[in-house]
């Protein structure tokens, strides 16, 4: 039975009843457990094996209650209510039974476990509540033996300490791993008194396939699984509710703070995560306390020139920069920008904002560029991840946002994941997809690489790199030829179908199979499965978007959803998974060169008038020409023509010296700038080219709103103060603006957000007070009584005619193909433990300890053919550069393809990537270029800047 059928069947079975609970008449339904009913009405029942988000196990027997008329006590966690039932939660019999169970458990607990100054221990808590101070029983023989065994105390993992002598076999860790996160690492082995928790095949945790999500640690009630860092086990001075600073899922979390330092993080019940976290969210926090944090403004020394090939090392940064006061640094930063603007014209300046900053910071930054600089030369990292997705979505459905939240997979019969690796890039989002599969949804994974999601897939389509359009057009050919289309939806809600129908005649599966490498029968089967499903969703990532035909790839996905009517309903739709925590919000706020906030085109005269009036500008003040994109700006810096040459830049929280394609060229461009202002928390690769560096606030140090991939606006709150003389980003942006002649004086983020509401109809109904009260609101939210719309396009599309548009896509090959000189394909991306360019995660001690070295993932048969062993140094070369790194055997990559993360400075793989652009989204082709692989090369140098073991040692010493 699929997930939708399960949900409907369960709903039909639920009936309203009434029971007597401790003499009170309680209304409930017959699917509720006695424990959940008691919790709901404020009656406390001890429990150890039960947790809200897991199926009840009933194996600890601490939650026993007495049901009138029944011979035996009942476990309240797994006993459901029935009409007229009379239950006593604190009868003498029940209390006596609980005490006995607690005594038996305490007999096996180590005597020194979880002292008063450590983190909470539920077993100790319930024992104290029950008045059990000591135990009359001796430890079990098996337990006593386990205490003496070294493996009971496993310290092999950087994040998690294992103390199996404290284990009570409640199996919460097993269920957390298997049912909640669906990572399938933890199991229960052996039988009877020999039963024990194991990792994989009874491996040490550090040698297992554990992905360190920490769900087991959060679930463990006794301290058998704990954070490895002893500081994280201490009681905090305060707890601060905030958000995760990493991917676009937008998990809510709570910072544990002691002595003004974050010591631990736990998940909380946010709409996107419901207390779940991944390894980055749970353990990637101590970068904020790293000794390399920028704490004072810096100005480049006059005797140090810029060089594109400079070796970067923060340990010696004072050889390049000198300290300055804020007044001197801001005056120099803004003054030179004004000089360049006045001498060379408004288009001689450009700005890069950040998807890691808040909505308010993004809004003020783009406003500064448009008013203070005088042009639309403003962009951010969306140009390097989902620009082609946004271009196709705006063209096809009139909106660049997702149609449905990730959570809608619970209602989807079929789920397609294409060109994405959510278990690595969006792990908590992936967990919801995995949960849906376990409930009956059929997962279709389409990707040149075999990701972890493929093990759960109903069908895995490993198509050849660069052949997305061939595969998708073939699927649509089948749907049309077999008349599986939704005629009513097409007729009433779309335009252009006849043209695409004619176009797709040339793409039968038998012909496309030879191109994409997927058998024709498989293409037909998957096409039928998707088209016939009552509800089906499509998720995609940068494997779809980062091509010169990225916009065409997304056009195909849109057409696939439109022709089958799989959009505009719960459990359906199109969802591009956003890469950074606020890439959606930064785009919404106008941090893109062709759009004002809320995707209002800068070329539309009515929009010009609207924003000139809102911003109190004279008519004609705003530029009506779209600005340059990220890569175009880099090219414009070194162009010879005077007209349009970029001479000065302001970069806030972005790192193009690592993230741009062909970073050798990008670094040459940065070095050629006459004036570069960088605002950041670390001396990044980009900051090394700066003329002035402004120390900013890290995520856990600021207040602001952030918009996740589901279009949900949430509040981030400060847990710690910025170090030294570092300042809030909003304050810095305003100071630059004031020194450029603008009279800005926003007292706080709330004031900026209030202005945003007046020019962004999608969030008009979201007040700051509402965000503080509710914690999260989904847009579009048009007025303050509007609950917000999680599912959009239900009745019409936000296009001029209200219709969605079919746009045909032809086959286009990658800009660069393998040949005899460069016979392999390079695919770049992220890895689970590191994020973006690594400036934060490589300074997080746990994350860097798990993945300290740059690696290339290569098929084992390719390694054999090249006489290379796993762990050897290899060199990858393209027509643009070469890097040396370590080989890792990994059969997820197909033969002839190499996958490399782009976060390692000492092996900056974007030196090799191609800067060829998609003509519509202006996105570079990161996912395909020709390379050659040779054995040997220089050992990647793990400097204090690049991370690795040296950086880990610094962080470890700091923690100690």
């Amino acid at each position: 039975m699929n997930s939708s059928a399960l949900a409907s069947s369960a709903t039909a079975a639920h009936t309203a009843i009434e029971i007597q609970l401790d003499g009170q008449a309680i209304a409930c339904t017959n699917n509720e457990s006695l424990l959940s009913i008691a919790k709901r009405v404020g009656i406390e029942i001890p429990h150890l094996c039960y947790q809200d988000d897991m199926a009840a196990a009933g194996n600890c027997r601490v939650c026993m209650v007495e049901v009138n008329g029944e011979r035996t006590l009942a476990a309240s966690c797994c006993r459901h209510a029935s009409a007229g039932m009379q239950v006593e939660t604190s009868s003498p019999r029940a209390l006596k039974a609980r005490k006995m169970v607690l005594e038996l458990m305490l007999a096996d607990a180590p005597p020194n476990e979880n002292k008063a100054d450590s983190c909470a221990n539920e077993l100790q808590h319930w024992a104290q509540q029950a008045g059990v101070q000591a135990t009359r029983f001796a430890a079990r023989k098996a337990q006593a033996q386990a205490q003496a065994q070294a493996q009971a105390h496993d310290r092999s993992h950087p994040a998690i300490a294992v103390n199996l002598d404290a284990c009570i076999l409640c199996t919460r860790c097993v269920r957390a791993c298997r049912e909640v996160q669906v990572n399938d690492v933890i199991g229960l082995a052996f039988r009877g008194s020999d039963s024990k928790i194991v990792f994989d095949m009874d491996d040490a945790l550090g040698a297992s396939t554990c992905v360190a999500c920490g769900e087991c640690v959060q679930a463990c009630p006794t301290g058998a699984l704990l954070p490895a860092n002893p500081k994280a086990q201490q009681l905090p001075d305060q707890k601060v509710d905030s958000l995760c600073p990493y991917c676009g899922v937008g998990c809510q979390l709570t910072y544990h703070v002691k002595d003004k330092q974050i010591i631990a993080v736990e998940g909380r019940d946010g709409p996107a995560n419901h207390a779940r976290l991944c390894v980055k969210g749970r353990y990637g926090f101590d970068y904020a306390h790293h000794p390399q944090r920028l704490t004072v403004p810096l100005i480049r020394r006059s005797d140090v020139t810029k060089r594109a090939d400079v070796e970067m090392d923060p340990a010696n940064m004072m050889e390049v920069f000198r300290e300055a006061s804020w007044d001197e640094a801001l005056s120099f930063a803004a003054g030179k920008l004004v000089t360049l603007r006045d001498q060379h014209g408004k288009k001689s300046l450009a700005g890069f904002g950040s998807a890691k900053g808040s909505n308010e910071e993004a809004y003020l930054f783009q406003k500064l560029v448009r008013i203070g600089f005088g042009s639309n030369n403003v962009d951010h990292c969306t140009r390097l991840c989902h620009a082609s997705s946004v271009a196709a979505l705006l063209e096809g459905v009139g909106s660049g946002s997702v149609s449905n939240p990730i959570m809608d997979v619970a209602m989807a019969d079929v789920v397609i994941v294409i060109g994405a690796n959510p278990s690595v890039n969006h792990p908590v989002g992936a967990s919801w997809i995995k949960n849906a599969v376990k409930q009956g949804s059929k997962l279709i994974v389409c990707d040149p690489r075999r990701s972890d999601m493929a093990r759960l897939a109903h069908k895995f389509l490993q198509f050849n790199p660069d052949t997305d359009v061939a595969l998708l057009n073939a699927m649509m050919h089948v749907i049309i030829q077999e008349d599986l289309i939704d005629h009513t939806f097409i007729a009433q809600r779309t335009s252009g179908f006849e043209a695409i129908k004619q176009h797709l005649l040339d793409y039968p599966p038998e012909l496309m199979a030879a191109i994409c490498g997927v058998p024709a029968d498989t293409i037909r089967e998957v096409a039928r499965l998707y088209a016939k499903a009552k509800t089906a969703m499509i998720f995609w990532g940068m494997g779809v978007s980062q091509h010169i035909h990225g916009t065409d790839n997304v056009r195909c996905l849109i057409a696939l959803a439109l022709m089958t009517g799989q959009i505009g309903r719960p459990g359906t739709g199109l969802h591009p998974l956003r890469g950074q925590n606020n890439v959606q919000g930064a785009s919404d706020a106008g941090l893109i060169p062709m759009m004002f906030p809320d995707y209002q085109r800068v070329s539309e005269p009515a929009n010009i008038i609207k924003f000139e009036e809102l911003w109190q500008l004279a008519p004609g003040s705003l530029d009506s020409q779209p600005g340059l994109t990220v890569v175009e700006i880099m090219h414009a810096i070194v162009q010879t023509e005077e007209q349009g040459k970029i001479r000065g830049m302001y970069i806030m929280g972005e790192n193009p010296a690592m993230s741009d394609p062909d970073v050798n060229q990008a670094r040459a461009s940065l070095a050629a700038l006459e004036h570069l202002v960088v605002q950041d928390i670390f001396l990044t690769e980009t900051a090394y080219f700066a003329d002035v560096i402004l120390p900013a606030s890290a995520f856990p140090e600021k207040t602001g709103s952030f918009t996740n991939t589901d279009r949900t606006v949430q509040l981030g709150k400060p847990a710690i103060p910025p170090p030294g003389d570092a300042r809030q980003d909003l304050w810095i942006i305003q100071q630059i603006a004031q020194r450029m002649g603008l009279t800005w004086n926003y007292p706080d983020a709330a004031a900026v957000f209030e202005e945003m509401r007046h020019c962004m109809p999608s969030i008009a109904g979201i007040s700051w007070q509402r965000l503080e009260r509710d914690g999260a609101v989904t847009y579009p939210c048009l007025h303050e009584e509007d609950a917000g719309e999680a599912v959009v396009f239900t009745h019409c599309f936000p296009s001029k005619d209200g219709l969605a548009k079919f746009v045909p896509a032809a086959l286009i090959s990658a800009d660069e193909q393998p040949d005899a000189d460069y016979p392999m394909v390079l695919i770049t991306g992220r890895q689970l433990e590191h994020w973006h360019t690594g400036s934060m995660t490589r300074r997080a001690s746990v994350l860097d300890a798990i993945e300290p070295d740059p690696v290339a993932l290569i098929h084992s048969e390719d390694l054999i053919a090249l006489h290379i062993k796993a762990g050897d140094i290899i060199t990858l070369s393209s027509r643009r550069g070469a890097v040396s790194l370590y080989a890792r055997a990994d059969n997820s990559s197909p033969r002839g393809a190499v996958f490399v993360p782009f976060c390692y400075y000492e092996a900056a793989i974007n030196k090799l990537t191609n800067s060829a652009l998609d003509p519509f989204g202006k996105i570079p082709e990161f996912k395909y270029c020709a390379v050659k692989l040779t054995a040997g090369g220089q050992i990647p140098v793990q400097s204090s800047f690049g991370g690795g073991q040296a950086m880990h040692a610094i962080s470890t010493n700091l923690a100690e």
Side-chain angles (χ1 to χ4, degrees):
M1 186 181 289
N2 63 36
S3 56
S4 300
L6 279 169
S8 118
S9 170
T11 303
H14 301 169
T15 55
I17 59 173
E18 185 177 280
I19 67 170
Q20 292 288 322
L21 190 65
D22 290 346
Q24 302 178 50
I26 306 294
C28 58
T29 60
N30 64 347
N31 72 306
E32 288 187 86
S33 71
L34 297 179
L35 179 59
S36 63
I37 295 168
K39 289 180 72 173
R40 175 161 55 80
V41 299
I43 297 174
E44 193 174 64
I45 299 176
H47 55 278
L48 288 168
C49 68
Y50 175 82
Q51 192 161 297
D52 286 341
D53 57 349
M54 301 177 191
N59 61 7
C60 76
R61 317 311 279 180
V62 176
C63 68
M64 307 302 282
V65 295
E66 188 164 6
V67 179
N68 188 37
E70 295 189 1
R71 182 177 61 84
T72 60
L73 297 176
S76 62
C77 66
C78 53
R79 180 65 182 275
H80 285 187
S82 60
M85 178 184 279
Q86 296 180 19
V87 182
E88 289 187 63
T89 66
S90 300
S91 70
R93 187 181 174 204
L95 292 175
K96 187 175 181 180
R98 290 177 196 161
K99 286 185 176 182
M100 175 69 75
V101 172
L102 289 166
E103 274 196 73
L104 288 166
M105 288 184 177
L106 286 175
D108 291 330
N112 61 343
E113 196 66 51
N114 289 306
K115 293 178 288 188
D117 62 345
S118 355
C119 60
N121 181 314
E122 294 177 41
L123 174 57
Q124 298 284 356
H125 166 76
W126 291 121
Q128 290 170 10
Q129 291 287 94
V132 179
Q133 302 297 327
T135 178
R136 296 166 289 169
F137 304 103
R140 286 177 298 150
K141 181 180 179 182
Q143 185 73 10
Q145 290 174 345
Q147 289 181 20
Q149 293 172 352
Q151 65 260 36
H153 292 269
D154 177 359
R155 298 295 182 270
S156 61
H157 198 284
I160 301 169
V162 181
N163 309 290
L164 290 185
D165 54 354
C167 179
I168 60 172
L169 297 178
C170 67
T171 70
R172 269 163 59 168
C173 63
V174 177
R175 285 173 286 142
C177 188
R178 292 181 175 271
E179 297 173 15
V180 178
Q181 294 278 5
V182 197
N183 290 320
D184 300 327
V185 178
I186 305 178
L188 185 63
F190 309 108
R191 294 187 177 188
S193 61
D194 292 325
S195 297
K196 60 178 275 190
I197 295 298
V198 297
F199 308 103
D200 288 339
M201 301 300 290
D202 204 8
D203 298 320
L205 183 59
S208 75
T209 56
C210 173
V211 296
C213 68
E215 193 75 31
C216 58
V217 176
Q218 186 160 293
C220 180
T222 66
L225 297 169
L226 287 170
N229 187 342
K231 278 190 175 182
Q233 302 172 29
Q234 298 176 3
L235 292 174
D237 298 332
Q238 64 175 143
K239 295 183 178 182
V240 179
D241 290 343
S242 191
L243 308 171
C244 178
Y246 293 111
C247 82
V249 172
C251 296
Q252 293 191 5
L253 51 74
T254 299
Y255 289 115
H256 290 208
V257 181
K258 188 176 182 65
D259 300 328
K260 296 185 179 180
Q261 282 205 340
I262 300 169
I263 59 172
V265 167
E266 65 180 350
R268 62 188 177 104
D269 192 16
N273 66 313
H274 293 297
R276 302 179 186 187
L277 292 175
C278 75
V279 61
K280 291 189 289 291
R282 196 178 301 276
Y283 300 112
F285 57 83
D286 59 343
Y287 73 90
H289 306 298
H290 198 278
Q292 290 176 0
R293 280 292 303 273
L294 295 171
T295 58
V296 293
L298 301 172
I299 291 177
R300 178 174 289 274
R301 290 173 44 171
S302 58
D303 59 340
V304 179
T305 58
K306 300 179 187 180
R307 294 190 355 259
D309 61 346
V310 66
E311 288 295 326
M312 309 175 198
D313 187 356
N316 299 315
M317 68 180 180
M318 299 315 292
E319 296 177 3
V320 181
F321 299 95
R322 63 173 177 84
E323 293 185 2
S325 68
W326 270 105
D327 185 64
E328 180 190 11
L330 290 166
S331 296
F332 175 52
K336 184 68 173 179
L337 291 172
V338 169
T339 299
L340 291 173
R341 180 196 65 190
D342 294 346
Q343 289 183 352
H344 301 286
K346 296 177 178 180
K347 297 192 178 182
S348 65
L349 302 180
F352 287 173
S354 176
K356 296 184 284 290
S358 69
N359 290 324
E360 297 74 32
E361 292 161 1
Y363 176 82
L364 276 197
F365 191 91
Q366 61 85 33
K367 183 179 178 182
L368 170 63
V369 172
R370 291 190 158 105
I371 300 175
F373 292 12
S375 77
N376 294 310
N377 288 340
V378 62
D379 210 348
H380 76 294
C381 75
T382 194
R383 192 66 44 208
L384 306 177
C385 56
H386 269 301
S388 52
S389 300
V390 172
L393 287 166
L394 287 170
E395 170 192 62
V397 299
S399 168
S401 303
V402 302
S403 67
N404 297 59
I406 295 176
M407 287 288 201
D408 262 19
V409 292
M411 295 175 279
D413 296 329
V414 172
V415 180
I416 291 180
V417 175
I418 180 169
N421 190 358
S423 57
V424 165
N425 295 318
H426 306 86
V428 172
S431 74
W432 301 117
I433 300 174
K434 295 174 185 177
N435 294 160
V437 172
K438 286 209 161 217
Q439 291 298 318
S441 299
K442 290 183 177 176
L443 174 63
I444 312 298
V445 176
C446 310
D447 203 288
R449 301 183 65 238
R450 176 180 279 273
S451 68
D452 174 70
M453 300 296 288
R455 69 184 172 89
L456 299 171
H458 176 72
K459 288 289 179 182
F460 172 51
L461 279 58
Q462 190 166 18
F463 63 91
N464 296 328
D466 190 40
T467 63
D468 312 60
V469 171
L471 172 64
L472 296 170
N473 276 354
M475 288 176 60
M476 289 188 284
H477 175 98
V478 172
I479 291 169
I480 292 173
Q481 293 302 307
E482 297 186 7
D483 197 25
L484 302 177
I485 61 175
D486 187 329
H487 292 272
T488 302
F489 188 92
I490 291 169
Q492 295 180 355
R493 302 199 55 192
T494 72
S495 65
F497 178 70
E498 289 304 319
I500 199 170
K501 179 180 178 181
Q502 186 65 32
H503 169 76
L504 291 170
L505 290 174
D506 296 332
Y507 295 89
E510 288 73 18
L511 186 61
M512 294 301 102
I515 297 172
C516 69
V518 178
D521 288 345
T522 303
I523 294 174
R524 291 184 183 279
E525 182 181 355
V526 170
R528 292 166 187 153
L529 193 65
Y530 176 81
K532 292 179 179 180
K534 290 183 179 179
T535 52
M537 288 186 76
I538 300 175
F539 294 92
W540 72 93
M542 285 168 259
V544 164
S545 61
Q546 289 179 333
H547 293 274
I548 62 166
H549 49 76
T551 304
D552 282 334
N553 294 345
V554 181
R555 284 167 173 159
C556 290
L557 296 175
I558 294 168
L560 190 59
L562 295 179
M563 68 174 56
T564 54
Q566 298 285 14
I567 193 168
R569 295 176 285 122
T572 68
L574 299 161
H575 193 120
L577 291 158
R578 307 298 186 183
Q580 295 199 39
N581 65 319
N582 202 37
V583 73
Q584 182 66 62
S587 299
D588 296 341
L591 208 57
I592 43 182
M594 64 288 296
M595 306 283 186
F596 289 125
D598 235 12
Y599 306 97
Q600 300 171 78
R601 293 193 177 275
V602 299
S603 56
E604 290 284 341
N607 295 336
I608 295 276
I609 294 170
K610 172 182 176 177
F611 280 93
E612 286 177 342
E613 290 178 350
L614 174 73
W615 293 340
Q616 299 180 347
L617 304 173
S621 297
L622 292 176
D623 186 9
S624 61
Q625 298 298 314
L628 300 177
T629 63
V630 166
V631 178
E632 289 174 330
I633 287 169
M634 288 300 175
H635 289 298
I637 293 171
V638 293
Q639 70 181 29
T640 56
E641 297 83 359
E642 179 72 18
Q643 188 68 25
K645 184 180 178 70
I646 299 294
R647 299 173 181 273
M649 284 191 70
Y650 179 11
I651 299 178
M652 172 189 159
E654 281 294 305
N655 194 8
M658 280 289 286
S659 61
D660 269 32
D662 192 0
V663 293
N664 287 324
Q665 191 273 327
R667 293 172 182 179
S669 294
L670 292 170
L673 282 167
E674 295 178 34
H675 188 55
L676 174 60
V677 180
V678 172
Q679 180 174 320
D680 217 312
I681 62 174
F682 294 113
L683 190 70
T684 63
E685 293 85 348
T686 297
Y688 235 84
F689 297 101
D691 294 279
V692 57
I693 302 173
L694 308 175
S697 52
F699 187 93
E701 297 160 1
K702 67 177 69 178
T703 299
S705 67
F706 298 81
T707 307
N708 73 356
T709 190
D710 290 339
R711 292 179 279 104
T712 300
V713 185
Q714 306 181 103
L715 271 187
K717 296 180 180 179
I720 52 175
D725 206 18
R727 300 292 177 90
Q728 294 292 334
D729 292 85
L730 275 181
W731 180 85
I732 299 172
I733 297 168
Q734 288 194 78
Q735 291 297 311
I736 294 288
Q738 290 170 10
R739 284 167 170 78
M740 294 190 77
L742 305 178
T743 56
W744 290 3
N745 188 22
Y746 298 91
D748 51 29
V752 180
F753 189 81
E754 185 64 23
E755 180 175 306
M756 294 170 65
R757 292 177 63 201
H758 286 84
C759 65
M760 298 174 64
S762 64
I763 63 168
I766 306 177
S767 66
W768 194 263
Q769 293 73 21
R770 184 175 177 182
L771 282 177
E772 290 183 320
R773 182 188 73 233
D774 299 341
V777 183
T778 299
Y779 76 76
C781 183
L782 306 182
H783 53 83
E784 293 196 16
E785 289 73 39
D786 188 350
E789 295 181 55
V791 179
V792 293
F793 316 143
T794 53
H795 301 294
C796 65
F797 292 94
S799 58
K800 289 184 178 179
D801 58 7
L803 302 177
K805 183 168 68 172
F806 287 97
V807 182
L811 296 184
I812 301 172
S813 295
D815 179 71
E816 181 179 79
Q817 294 294 324
D819 55 23
D821 294 327
Y822 298 94
M824 302 186 78
V825 171
L826 172 65
I827 303 171
T828 67
R830 294 175 180 159
Q831 60 188 152
L832 174 64
E833 294 78 12
H834 290 304
W835 181 69
H836 205 49
T837 63
S839 60
M840 292 160 59
T841 54
R842 298 202 72 199
R843 291 176 171 94
S845 56
V846 167
L847 303 181
D848 187 64
I850 297 173
E851 281 287 3
D853 299 310
V855 291
L857 279 57
I858 307 163
H859 197 283
S860 57
E861 292 182 16
D862 283 336
L863 289 177
I864 293 170
L866 294 165
H867 306 290
I868 296 169
K869 298 190 300 293
D872 286 353
I873 297 290
I874 62 165
T875 297
L876 282 172
S877 307
S878 77
R879 293 177 176 86
R880 290 157 293 281
V883 298
S884 296
L885 64 174
Y886 298 96
R888 177 177 290 176
D890 188 299
N891 289 1
S892 62
S893 297
R895 297 251 2 224
V898 182
F899 177 84
V900 183
F902 67 95
C903 60
Y904 294 96
Y905 164 68
E906 63 270 34
I909 199 62
N910 282 10
K911 289 180 179 179
L912 278 58
T913 50
N914 191 355
S915 61
L917 300 180
D918 175 296
F920 304 98
K922 303 295 181 68
I923 190 170
E925 190 156 52
F926 286 112
K927 288 294 185 281
Y928 198 99
C929 74
V931 295
K932 64 181 175 182
L933 190 161
T934 55
Q938 292 185 339
I939 295 175
V941 177
Q942 296 176 329
S943 70
S944 61
F945 186 87
Q949 296 166 357
M951 184 169 290
H952 172 54
I954 293 172
S955 299
T956 303
N957 292 335
L958 177 68
E960 293 172 353

